[in-house]
Amino acid sequence: MLLALVSLLSCLLPSSEAKVYSRCELARVLQDFGLDGYRGYSLADWVCLAYFTSGFNTAAVDHEADGSTNNGIFQISSRRWCRNLTPNAPNVCRMYCSDLLNPNLKDTVICAMKITQEPQGLGYWEAWRHHCQGKDLTDWVDGCDF
């Protein structure tokens, strides 16, 4: 019970290590993790996704009515991908949702890569489908030094 309470409080309190990336800073980090061209998606796709899901904020958490959360810079859902306080959720990424709030993005990128391996790819994210898919995304990485 105490562990559950501590976990809940850690989700509700703002992270002292929260980071809001700049567009080019995030593009560089995602490129370093190998996301440019991963599963056929450009670096601009990933940057666009991050902007429209979290505003580049690693500490973003959206609480849903069913008790699930969307976590981190890509707003990854606890319904399937990570563990929060719901004991029987699938946890496909095999990590705690709080791991997705880390500003170094390693766990977030690992989980996002797993999600992208699904048949929907980046289409899993409604924000990407509505704001990024099929659009000219060159402005998302234009002017960034790599």
Tab-separated table of all heavy atoms in Angstrom, residues 31-53:
chain	number	residue	atom	x	y	z
A	31	GLN	N	18.043	12.149	-33.334
A	31	GLN	CA	18.950	11.642	-34.371
A	31	GLN	C	20.037	10.777	-33.744
A	31	GLN	O	20.364	9.701	-34.261
A	31	GLN	CB	19.585	12.793	-35.153
A	31	GLN	CG	20.464	12.283	-36.288
A	31	GLN	CD	21.109	13.402	-37.056
A	31	GLN	OE1	21.684	14.319	-36.461
A	31	GLN	NE2	21.004	13.342	-38.368
A	32	ASP	N	20.570	11.210	-32.618
A	32	ASP	CA	21.596	10.425	-31.924
A	32	ASP	C	21.067	9.059	-31.490
A	32	ASP	O	21.815	8.092	-31.430
A	32	ASP	CB	22.136	11.178	-30.700
A	32	ASP	CG	22.992	12.378	-31.073
A	32	ASP	OD1	23.392	12.503	-32.257
A	32	ASP	OD2	23.260	13.209	-30.179
A	33	PHE	N	19.773	8.979	-31.195
A	33	PHE	CA	19.155	7.703	-30.828
A	33	PHE	C	18.788	6.857	-32.050
A	33	PHE	O	18.286	5.748	-31.909
A	33	PHE	CB	17.895	7.923	-29.979
A	33	PHE	CG	18.173	8.146	-28.524
A	33	PHE	CD1	17.840	9.351	-27.916
A	33	PHE	CD2	18.758	7.164	-27.731
A	33	PHE	CE1	18.075	9.563	-26.562
A	33	PHE	CE2	18.999	7.362	-26.385
A	33	PHE	CZ	18.653	8.567	-25.796
A	34	GLY	N	19.008	7.383	-33.246
A	34	GLY	CA	18.772	6.612	-34.461
A	34	GLY	C	17.348	6.648	-34.986
A	34	GLY	O	16.945	5.760	-35.741
A	35	LEU	N	16.582	7.669	-34.631
A	35	LEU	CA	15.199	7.714	-35.086
A	35	LEU	C	15.031	8.237	-36.514
A	35	LEU	O	13.990	8.008	-37.125
A	35	LEU	CB	14.337	8.532	-34.122
A	35	LEU	CG	14.044	7.852	-32.790
A	35	LEU	CD1	13.123	8.719	-31.941
A	35	LEU	CD2	13.436	6.477	-32.979
A	36	ASP	N	16.031	8.928	-37.051
A	36	ASP	CA	15.903	9.427	-38.426
A	36	ASP	C	15.884	8.251	-39.389
A	36	ASP	O	16.858	7.508	-39.505
A	36	ASP	CB	17.049	10.378	-38.773
A	36	ASP	CG	16.802	11.131	-40.073
A	36	ASP	OD1	15.653	11.134	-40.568
A	36	ASP	OD2	17.767	11.727	-40.591
A	37	GLY	N	14.755	8.028	-40.030
A	37	GLY	CA	14.594	6.916	-40.958
A	37	GLY	C	14.103	5.633	-40.311
A	37	GLY	O	13.846	4.648	-41.016
A	38	TYR	N	13.957	5.623	-38.990
A	38	TYR	CA	13.505	4.410	-38.312
A	38	TYR	C	12.095	4.058	-38.785
A	38	TYR	O	11.186	4.891	-38.735
A	38	TYR	CB	13.533	4.597	-36.788
A	38	TYR	CG	13.114	3.360	-36.033
A	38	TYR	CD1	13.970	2.272	-35.929
A	38	TYR	CD2	11.856	3.272	-35.465
A	38	TYR	CE1	13.575	1.125	-35.254
A	38	TYR	CE2	11.456	2.137	-34.778
A	38	TYR	CZ	12.319	1.056	-34.690
A	38	TYR	OH	11.925	-0.078	-34.028
A	39	ARG	N	11.940	2.838	-39.259
A	39	ARG	CA	10.659	2.322	-39.774
A	39	ARG	C	10.079	3.222	-40.863
A	39	ARG	O	8.868	3.306	-41.053
A	39	ARG	CB	9.636	2.139	-38.658
A	39	ARG	CG	10.096	1.300	-37.470
A	39	ARG	CD	10.319	-0.132	-37.808
A	39	ARG	NE	9.050	-0.851	-37.909
A	39	ARG	CZ	8.967	-2.153	-37.981
A	39	ARG	NH1	10.057	-2.888	-37.956
A	39	ARG	NH2	7.804	-2.735	-38.084
A	40	GLY	N	10.958	3.951	-41.559
A	40	GLY	CA	10.523	4.792	-42.676
A	40	GLY	C	10.072	6.190	-42.291
A	40	GLY	O	9.593	6.936	-43.142
A	41	TYR	N	10.242	6.563	-41.035
A	41	TYR	CA	9.814	7.887	-40.594
A	41	TYR	C	11.014	8.813	-40.478
A	41	TYR	O	12.062	8.442	-39.951
A	41	TYR	CB	9.080	7.807	-39.250
A	41	TYR	CG	7.807	7.005	-39.355
A	41	TYR	CD1	7.743	5.699	-38.891
A	41	TYR	CD2	6.683	7.553	-39.959
A	41	TYR	CE1	6.576	4.962	-39.007
A	41	TYR	CE2	5.517	6.811	-40.084
A	41	TYR	CZ	5.476	5.520	-39.609
A	41	TYR	OH	4.326	4.786	-39.733
A	42	SER	N	10.829	10.037	-40.945
A	42	SER	CA	11.909	11.021	-40.905
A	42	SER	C	12.056	11.599	-39.501
A	42	SER	O	11.135	11.498	-38.667
A	42	SER	CB	11.620	12.159	-41.888
A	42	SER	OG	10.540	12.957	-41.409
A	43	LEU	N	13.175	12.221	-39.283
A	43	LEU	CA	13.402	12.926	-38.023
A	43	LEU	C	12.329	13.994	-37.819
A	43	LEU	O	11.829	14.195	-36.707
A	43	LEU	CB	14.796	13.557	-38.058
A	43	LEU	CG	15.356	14.112	-36.780
A	43	LEU	CD1	15.388	13.055	-35.686
A	43	LEU	CD2	16.750	14.660	-37.023
A	44	ALA	N	11.932	14.643	-38.899
A	44	ALA	CA	10.888	15.673	-38.823
A	44	ALA	C	9.559	15.088	-38.339
A	44	ALA	O	8.815	15.761	-37.618
A	44	ALA	CB	10.721	16.349	-40.177
A	45	ASP	N	9.246	13.845	-38.722
A	45	ASP	CA	8.028	13.197	-38.226
A	45	ASP	C	8.057	13.106	-36.710
A	45	ASP	O	7.065	13.388	-36.033
A	45	ASP	CB	7.888	11.780	-38.802
A	45	ASP	CG	7.349	11.757	-40.212
A	45	ASP	OD1	6.229	12.242	-40.430
A	45	ASP	OD2	8.047	11.228	-41.098
A	46	TRP	N	9.192	12.694	-36.167
A	46	TRP	CA	9.326	12.519	-34.720
A	46	TRP	C	9.258	13.854	-33.986
A	46	TRP	O	8.630	13.958	-32.927
A	46	TRP	CB	10.633	11.802	-34.396
A	46	TRP	CG	10.648	10.384	-34.849
A	46	TRP	CD1	11.186	9.895	-36.005
A	46	TRP	CD2	10.080	9.263	-34.174
A	46	TRP	NE1	10.992	8.539	-36.074
A	46	TRP	CE2	10.318	8.130	-34.966
A	46	TRP	CE3	9.402	9.118	-32.966
A	46	TRP	CZ2	9.900	6.851	-34.592
A	46	TRP	CZ3	8.986	7.849	-32.582
A	46	TRP	CH2	9.231	6.733	-33.393
A	47	VAL	N	9.899	14.875	-34.541
A	47	VAL	CA	9.890	16.194	-33.904
A	47	VAL	C	8.474	16.778	-33.935
A	47	VAL	O	7.994	17.319	-32.938
A	47	VAL	CB	10.915	17.133	-34.571
A	47	VAL	CG1	10.816	18.540	-34.002
A	47	VAL	CG2	12.331	16.579	-34.389
A	48	CYS	N	7.807	16.634	-35.072
A	48	CYS	CA	6.420	17.092	-35.195
A	48	CYS	C	5.529	16.380	-34.173
A	48	CYS	O	4.725	17.013	-33.484
A	48	CYS	CB	5.934	16.845	-36.623
A	48	CYS	SG	4.233	17.370	-36.945
A	49	LEU	N	5.688	15.073	-34.069
A	49	LEU	CA	4.928	14.293	-33.092
A	49	LEU	C	5.147	14.821	-31.673
A	49	LEU	O	4.192	15.047	-30.923
A	49	LEU	CB	5.317	12.815	-33.162
A	49	LEU	CG	4.793	11.921	-32.043
A	49	LEU	CD1	3.272	11.837	-32.081
A	49	LEU	CD2	5.426	10.544	-32.127
A	50	ALA	N	6.398	15.026	-31.303
A	50	ALA	CA	6.715	15.494	-29.948
A	50	ALA	C	6.102	16.866	-29.669
A	50	ALA	O	5.614	17.124	-28.565
A	50	ALA	CB	8.222	15.537	-29.740
A	51	TYR	N	6.112	17.721	-30.668
A	51	TYR	CA	5.527	19.053	-30.470
A	51	TYR	C	4.024	18.958	-30.209
A	51	TYR	O	3.501	19.570	-29.280
A	51	TYR	CB	5.800	19.951	-31.673
A	51	TYR	CG	5.137	21.296	-31.527
A	51	TYR	CD1	5.701	22.275	-30.715
A	51	TYR	CD2	3.938	21.574	-32.160
A	51	TYR	CE1	5.084	23.503	-30.544
A	51	TYR	CE2	3.309	22.800	-31.995
A	51	TYR	CZ	3.888	23.761	-31.198
A	51	TYR	OH	3.261	24.968	-31.020
A	52	PHE	N	3.324	18.195	-31.036
A	52	PHE	CA	1.870	18.159	-30.931
A	52	PHE	C	1.356	17.245	-29.820
A	52	PHE	O	0.181	17.320	-29.464
A	52	PHE	CB	1.235	17.803	-32.275
A	52	PHE	CG	1.268	18.962	-33.235
A	52	PHE	CD1	2.139	18.967	-34.297
A	52	PHE	CD2	0.440	20.059	-33.032
A	52	PHE	CE1	2.180	20.053	-35.172
A	52	PHE	CE2	0.487	21.145	-33.894
A	52	PHE	CZ	1.351	21.136	-34.968
A	53	THR	N	2.210	16.410	-29.249
A	53	THR	CA	1.771	15.608	-28.108
A	53	THR	C	2.094	16.289	-26.780
A	53	THR	O	1.284	16.254	-25.855
A	53	THR	CB	2.397	14.195	-28.117
A	53	THR	OG1	3.805	14.308	-28.246
A	53	THR	CG2	1.821	13.356	-29.235
